[in-house]
Amino acid sequence: MSATEDLAGRLRGTVVPAVVTPMDATGAVRLPALRGYAERIAAERIGGVAVWAHTGRGLYLTATDRRRVLALWRDTVDVPVVAGAGVPRSVQGATLKAAEDATVAMAADAAELGADAVMVYPMARYHGLPDAVERAVRLHERVAVASGLPVLGFFLHAEAGGYPYPPELIHRLLALPDAAGIKIATLDRAVDCQDAIRAAGGSGALVVTGEDRMFGPSLMWGADTALVGIAAARVGLTGAVLDAWTAGDTAAFVRASGRLDRFAEVTFLAPVEGYVQRMLWAAVWEGLLPEEAAFDPYGPPLAGAERRAVVTCLEQLSKEGDTGA
């Protein structure tokens, strides 16, 4: 069995939290808080963890902080670590070739630090280019060669810096020998999500939902694994939906989806980039992070009413008997 097949087998049917990175108000990573958080997440029933992802502000971190973050997770969990690889903000504005090279270098760093797979951020600058599909395929091939790891494609909505992957690109990516699957995160574009899942169907690769606002429906459309930011603080709430669907328990699936949707409504809303801060607030309420390590200096300013809405939702879910465990 190849490493790619082994990874797919380990992740299929599981929740992979796209974890947050604890930071203070200046943007400094709080490593003691991260260790405590990682230990709590490791104790949950997870299939893996995703670091350097959008939820963890992976492209905003310095190279030194990225290495510290991944090394700490690798030291803490005994499940696969999936690392995001893209264009760090420090090289934004570089030529397209330099941006591609930076993505490849980030993947190689992840492999050196013990990651088990690489999830390739979409190169939004490809959008509209006549050779966009060819460029994207070549980038994934380069990442696989440089890292020696299984690769996940990443169809990410534009609000988070991505662009839509046409079915042809999904077919081409999943035909690569080192392609473990594709993560689909279209936010609220049901047709795009359905089309992407359909394009991935029959490939044998992982069809990974990143649809925090369409989580239940994405499973119904054919996703078989979850890599989501909404699980950064509420692993059990997310896992309950996936478990019920896998078990064919329709009543439990409807109940669990309703609970998760209520939480998604107060965390994944406009401005969408505020979801990272909202998940950090949820992590504080859950006792996963201390207050002083729950800042997102890269997101938009949010009103106090937004935090109250998150807390009120969590309190209501807790009163109904949902502990998120």
Side-chain angles (χ1 to χ4, degrees):
M1 179 184 295
S2 69
T4 301
E5 292 169 330
D6 178 65
L7 179 83
R10 294 179 69 184
L11 294 186
R12 182 170 278 113
T14 70
V15 172
V16 180
V19 291
V20 295
T21 301
M23 288 181 269
D24 64 20
T26 70
V29 176
R30 299 294 295 266
L31 290 176
L34 176 59
R35 182 167 297 279
Y37 171 66
E39 290 170 351
R40 291 285 299 276
I41 295 296
E44 298 276 1
R45 195 161 60 85
I46 56 175
V49 293
V51 304
W52 299 358
H54 196 70
T55 309
R57 295 302 191 196
L59 298 182
Y60 292 84
L61 301 177
T62 66
T64 297
D65 280 339
R66 280 198 303 272
R67 295 177 69 86
R68 288 170 176 164
V69 166
L70 198 157
L72 189 151
W73 279 103
R74 179 70 288 166
D75 184 56
T76 305
V77 301
D78 59 2
V79 293
V81 174
V82 179
V87 186
R89 291 298 183 268
S90 59
V91 298
Q92 288 294 302
T95 66
L96 185 53
K97 181 181 183 304
E100 292 169 333
D101 291 346
T103 296
V104 174
M106 194 168 169
D109 284 346
E112 180 184 338
L113 292 163
D116 298 282
V118 176
M119 180 176 69
V120 183
Y121 279 91
M123 193 76 70
R125 290 165 65 179
Y126 288 164
H127 189 46
L129 295 180
D131 59 346
V133 169
E134 293 297 333
R135 282 182 174 273
V137 172
R138 286 199 301 269
L139 177 63
H140 285 73
E141 289 175 326
R142 288 185 62 196
V143 165
V145 170
S147 66
L149 297 175
V151 173
L152 288 172
F154 189 8
F155 178 169
L156 178 65
H157 59 89
E159 288 85 348
Y163 76 100
Y165 280 13
E168 178 192 359
L169 177 53
I170 294 173
H171 287 305
R172 293 279 302 278
L173 290 179
L174 296 184
L176 297 175
D178 296 304
I182 185 165
K183 172 181 170 173
I184 302 165
T186 67
L187 182 63
D188 55 6
R189 295 161 180 79
V191 174
D192 286 349
C193 180
Q194 290 171 329
D195 289 349
I197 290 174
R198 188 173 296 110
S203 66
L206 294 171
V207 183
V208 184
T209 180
E211 302 291 6
D212 306 272
R213 285 303 300 262
M214 301 187 294
F215 188 80
S218 68
L219 299 178
M220 297 169 67
W221 298 331
D224 57 25
T225 304
L227 194 164
V228 283
I230 203 166
R234 310 265 14 227
V235 175
L237 193 63
T238 310
V241 185
L242 182 57
D243 289 346
W245 175 254
T246 303
D249 189 335
T250 302
F253 175 71
V254 171
R255 289 193 300 270
S257 291
R259 291 193 294 269
L260 183 63
D261 286 347
R262 286 160 56 192
F263 183 49
E265 287 173 6
V266 297
T267 48
F268 286 82
L269 70 162
V272 176
E273 274 295 277
Y275 90 87
V276 176
Q277 182 60 72
R278 299 181 192 111
M279 293 308 300
L280 288 164
W281 288 335
V284 171
W285 188 89
E286 293 284 339
L288 301 175
L289 288 177
E291 186 72 40
E292 63 271 16
F295 290 88
D296 175 28
Y298 307 109
L302 300 176
E306 296 215 28
R307 182 168 192 169
R308 289 193 293 274
V310 171
V311 170
T312 297
C313 178
L314 292 171
E315 289 174 343
Q316 290 173 343
L317 291 170
S318 181
K319 288 178 182 176
E320 293 167 13
D322 169 37
T323 64

